[in-house]
Amino acid sequence: MRLVDLRSDTVTMPTAAMREAMYRAEVGDDVYGEDPTVNRLEELGARMTGKEASLFVASGTMGNQLAILAHTQRGDEILCEAESHIFFYEVGGLAVLAGVQAKTLAGHRGILTPEVVKPAIRPQDIHQPRSSLICLENTHNRAGGKCYPVETLAGIYTLAQAHTIPVHMDGARIFNAAARQQVAVEKLTAYADSVMFCLSKGLGAPVGSLLAGSRDFVETCRRYRKMLGGGMRQAGIIAAAGIVALSTMVERLEQDHAHARMLADAVANMGIGFDASDVETNIVVIDTMQSGKTAAELSACFAGQGIKISQFGNHKIRMVTHYGITRDDIQYTIDTMARIIKG
Ligand SMILES: *Cc1c(COP(=O)(O)O)cnc(C)c1O
């Protein structure tokens, strides 16, 4: 049977060029700062995001958590979107590691605006926690891969600066946002003090994320990374694949977007109230209510046909396009879904 894995863009396998680069990687002890391949990757990450420095970390979660640790003090409050990865999917790490609480704000399909953020900033008052960090997720995962408009990023950043509150961008899929908006990534990251992005999602690397910001910020994060056990030694072996990812896998994200669009346009014609314009990048989140089936039922039907998808609650499913998914796979998924919904 055909197998189509649309659960996530994390399921991508490394390319032949990545494996070759990993095999040949020049390595050293990165905790001593002596791994030339990690150093090259970190320089490249800094350059592409327009930041002074970047740090290679084990995962996106580690990158976000290090950023929160570095930007905040215990007892502070961070502002983040109610369905953000930092709040929803990081095992409560912000409370455990940084000792901060979250004030969650409802975005419009995941996207916050200065109007929503402004009233949430705490006044200086001995009774209240300090608002010490604003987190923005771009693209927004649970909202279905939504991008922040550049003006919105600029507006929030201006507001944050007026209150001297840093902005952290959870840019796990920032390259997808840049591809969609046809701008350089640094145009988007200019409106954040720090940014994390994943090498191991649409860019196809097997492991790792980068956390970029000022030189001071990155040095602080480097110490916290060591504290959390994330100081990796000959990490150039995996960093090598990250360099290939950034050099060869960025342009092709548009194909993933085209595939998601093809899927979205077809689902919009299935009479279940799906709006194709909600899909902007490589994530398709579908409300299943009008199909008369729960997410679990749909998921089981798909699985029976070799298609793997994610459940996002009782009546929501997510499908993610990525490297390794072909146009044919999408057609097969569309045909299968049409049959499931009719049957
Ligand atoms: C995947 C993801 C992360 C975390 O990345 P991991 O490498 O899986 O820890 C963080 N934020 C968003 C928006 C993500 O989609």
Side-chain angles (χ1 to χ4, degrees), residues 14-337:
T15 64
M18 286 178 192
R19 289 185 184 273
E20 181 70 19
M22 292 169 80
Y23 179 71
R24 302 202 176 281
E26 219 189 311
V27 295
D29 189 325
D30 180 54
V31 174
Y32 291 111
E34 290 172 4
D35 188 300
T37 308
V38 171
N39 292 342
R40 270 205 296 140
L41 173 63
E42 291 182 344
E43 280 159 27
L44 182 59
R47 190 149 21 94
M48 291 177 88
T49 53
K51 301 295 178 203
E52 285 176 4
S54 87
L55 184 69
F56 185 44
V57 293
S59 66
T61 300
M62 182 182 266
N64 282 336
Q65 292 299 322
L66 293 177
I68 297 168
L69 274 163
H71 285 303
T72 66
Q73 307 275 321
R74 290 170 67 79
D76 286 353
E77 184 167 81
I78 68 172
L79 306 181
C80 57
E81 207 277 331
E83 301 244 328
S84 62
H85 196 281
I86 283 175
F87 183 68
F88 214 97
Y89 287 127
E90 301 193 2
V91 210
L94 64 122
V96 175
L97 300 170
V100 299
Q101 65 183 26
K103 181 158 189 155
T104 57
L105 308 173
H108 177 64
R109 294 199 52 91
I111 303 303
L112 298 173
T113 57
E115 292 69 34
V116 171
V117 174
K118 192 171 182 196
I121 296 173
R122 303 266 189 176
Q124 282 183 16
D125 175 336
I126 194 171
H127 304 88
Q128 298 194 33
R130 250 173 17 111
S131 302
S132 63
L133 183 64
I134 297 168
C135 299
L136 306 178
E137 186 168 314
N138 197 15
T139 66
H140 195 296
N141 173 30
R142 283 188 62 86
K146 283 277 176 187
C147 304
Y148 269 87
V150 178
E151 322 77 78
T152 308
L153 291 175
I156 293 174
Y157 194 54
T158 304
L159 172 69
Q161 287 193 310
H163 289 82
T164 51
I165 300 173
V167 173
H168 172 67
M169 191 177 288
D170 176 351
R173 298 187 180 83
I174 194 67
F175 283 89
N176 293 87
R180 159 77 193 205
Q181 295 171 328
Q182 301 205 311
V183 295
V185 158
E186 64 182 302
K187 181 104 171 80
L188 306 176
T189 53
Y191 301 111
D193 298 278
S194 58
V195 57
M196 180 287 288
F197 64 89
C198 293
L199 298 163
S200 58
K201 291 188 171 161
L203 299 180
V207 183
S209 293
L210 285 168
L211 175 59
S214 72
R215 213 173 299 284
D216 280 355
F217 168 81
V218 167
E219 282 323 299
T220 303
C221 291
R222 194 179 292 282
R223 288 183 62 81
Y224 280 124
R225 185 187 68 173
K226 189 75 184 76
M227 185 193 280
L228 298 185
M232 298 182 281
R233 303 296 177 170
Q234 285 74 43
I237 293 283
I238 48 178
I243 294 173
V244 176
L246 287 176
S247 324
T248 68
M249 299 291 280
V250 172
E251 308 269 290
R252 60 156 304 287
L253 291 174
E254 286 181 15
Q255 285 173 35
D256 298 343
H257 297 180
H259 288 156
R261 165 102 351 251
M262 176 177 161
L263 179 58
D265 287 343
V267 175
N269 285 325
M270 292 182 191
I272 57 168
F274 178 76
D275 183 351
S277 72
D278 284 340
V279 173
E280 296 183 358
T281 53
N282 68 327
I283 303 179
V284 181
V285 172
I286 302 168
D287 187 323
T288 69
M289 197 65 90
Q290 289 187 42
S291 74
K293 291 198 162 58
T294 64
E297 287 164 347
L298 270 176
S299 179
C301 293
F302 272 119
Q305 304 303 313
I307 300 170
K308 295 183 179 183
I309 62 168
S310 296
Q311 296 173 40
F312 259 31
N314 289 342
H315 286 93
K316 247 187 204 180
I317 57 171
R318 184 187 75 165
M319 299 192 236
V320 186
T321 58
H322 53 79
Y323 175 66
I325 295 294
T326 63
R327 206 186 139 81
D328 259 17
D329 292 331
I330 297 297
Q331 192 56 56
Y332 175 66
T333 304
I334 292 169
D335 296 344
T336 305
M337 179 150 176

